[in-house]
Amino acid sequence: MALVPTRRRVAAGLVAIGALLLAHAGAIDNGFHYDDVHSVVHNPHLRSLADPTAFFTDPSTFSARDDRAMFRPLVVLSYALTYSVAGLAPWAHLMVNLLAHAASAGCVFALALALGVPAAAAGTASLLFALHPVNSEVVNYVSSRSESFAAVGVLAALWAYLRWRVGAGSGALLAFGVVAFSLALLSKATAIALPAMLLTVEACATDRRRVAGVLPFVAVGVAYVWFVAGFAGRAFGDPVRPLAHQLWTQLKAIPYYAHLLVVPSGLSVEHDFAVAVTWADPVVLLSTALLLSVTLLWWPHARSR
């Protein structure tokens, strides 16, 4: 009898990933565009794997342009490995993106199961993630590979942490989660949000809180920030905009992207999105009010579970 749920889980996961591969198979016939030109096509640092450690110590290897330096060593290493096999054949680079997105969808499925979601519902969630038009960018745009790489690391770390905190395994699960988080950070800095996610898990927990388990993730996050700021400062260069402007703009962005999830029309790599230069911008105020309202409505429900 124990085999039935397992078979259902495997079948649901395979259906989701199979549908993803079928739906996005045409992407491998596309080409390079936008940031792909300077980070892949014209990037001389990808032409040799003689010293792959340089990708982890020199942010300038990310691009052919010094002003586009970024610290995403796993992404650059993947570019170099793909180039060593297939050169600048777009299909090869896009195939890696397709497989990375499939891995992300698989992680969504595993995480849903860890949250106690039935196999059919978990498969549906994974299928929605795999086929949602918003996520087509990570398949069709080589430079968006960083999103999938970071997503795999973050989702795998969340899965490992949830399994660890319910006693499903030893400290090896927690160690796996920390390693996955580290790899996510080496793909894109946005993965730094994971410790806050884990603290939210603990804040919403109705059983014994295990906040100590979050500390290794916090330590990795702090080490990452220290390393990038101290040794890889070239990855930042001059800021694109003042920090305050970035904050106000991101407050506007959250409802905007939530809208795209519901109404995925007018999708573009470069969204027509104006920078907010003051907190008094009406859109910033309305966005902040919306986020606070959602939080206040969600919090009692989360605490009651």
Side-chain angles (χ1 to χ4, degrees):
M1 296 297 292
L3 292 177
V4 175
T6 301
R7 288 174 179 171
R8 287 177 180 171
R9 291 180 179 185
V10 172
L14 290 177
V15 166
I17 294 177
L20 179 152
L21 296 175
L22 182 63
H24 291 292
I28 63 175
D29 292 328
N30 294 332
F32 298 111
H33 42 270
Y34 296 110
D35 289 342
D36 298 344
V37 176
H38 68 82
S39 61
V40 179
V41 178
H42 295 156
N43 190 351
H45 307 290
L46 310 182
R47 306 303 186 255
S48 173
L49 286 169
D51 183 20
T53 60
F55 302 142
F56 294 83
T57 57
D58 185 359
S60 68
T61 59
F62 177 78
S63 173
R65 296 172 52 180
D66 292 338
D67 63 329
R68 295 298 181 92
M70 288 188 182
F71 187 65
R72 298 179 181 177
L74 281 186
V75 176
V76 182
L77 178 61
S78 73
Y79 290 158
L81 289 171
T82 308
Y83 180 85
S84 69
V85 174
L88 290 177
W91 69 265
H93 292 268
L94 290 166
M95 178 63 75
V96 175
N97 280 42
L98 179 59
L99 295 176
H101 185 46
S104 297
C107 288
V108 169
F109 179 70
L111 181 60
L113 292 177
L115 290 169
V117 176
T124 301
S126 179
L127 190 63
L128 178 62
F129 176 87
L131 302 182
H132 198 290
V134 164
N135 287 330
S136 61
E137 179 182 314
V138 299
V139 178
N140 292 277
Y141 182 28
V142 173
S143 292
S144 280
R145 181 182 304 180
S146 59
E147 303 281 356
S148 293
F149 279 21
V152 169
V154 167
L155 293 172
L158 273 170
W159 171 85
Y161 184 84
L162 291 173
R163 296 287 292 168
W164 167 81
R165 81 176 307 280
V166 298
S170 64
L173 269 175
L174 194 64
F176 172 81
V178 171
V179 171
F181 176 44
S182 302
L183 295 177
L185 286 172
L186 294 177
S187 301
K188 193 166 186 178
T190 51
I192 198 70
L194 177 67
M197 298 179 192
L198 300 181
L199 288 173
T200 302
V201 169
E202 295 300 338
C204 296
T206 55
D207 57 349
R208 181 171 64 91
R209 291 186 173 87
R210 308 188 69 178
V211 179
V214 183
L215 296 181
F217 297 91
V218 173
V220 168
V222 171
Y224 169 81
V225 172
W226 174 81
F227 175 82
V228 171
F231 293 95
R234 283 176 295 166
F236 295 109
D238 296 328
V240 176
R241 62 182 65 95
L243 180 60
H245 293 182
Q246 181 71 6
L247 176 61
W248 312 141
T249 303
Q250 291 307 311
L251 285 172
K252 288 174 53 178
I254 295 174
Y256 175 78
Y257 287 120
H259 169 74
L260 288 182
L261 288 174
V262 179
V263 186
S265 63
L267 298 176
S268 172
V269 174
E270 297 288 343
H271 294 282
D272 185 14
F273 197 73
V275 175
V277 298
T278 174
W279 62 268
D281 185 315
V283 180
V284 173
L285 293 176
L286 289 172
S287 297
T288 303
L290 175 63
L291 293 173
L292 289 175
S293 299
V294 171
T295 301
L296 291 174
L297 290 172
W298 166 79
W299 183 256
H301 173 72
R303 293 286 297 134
S304 65
R305 295 192 56 163

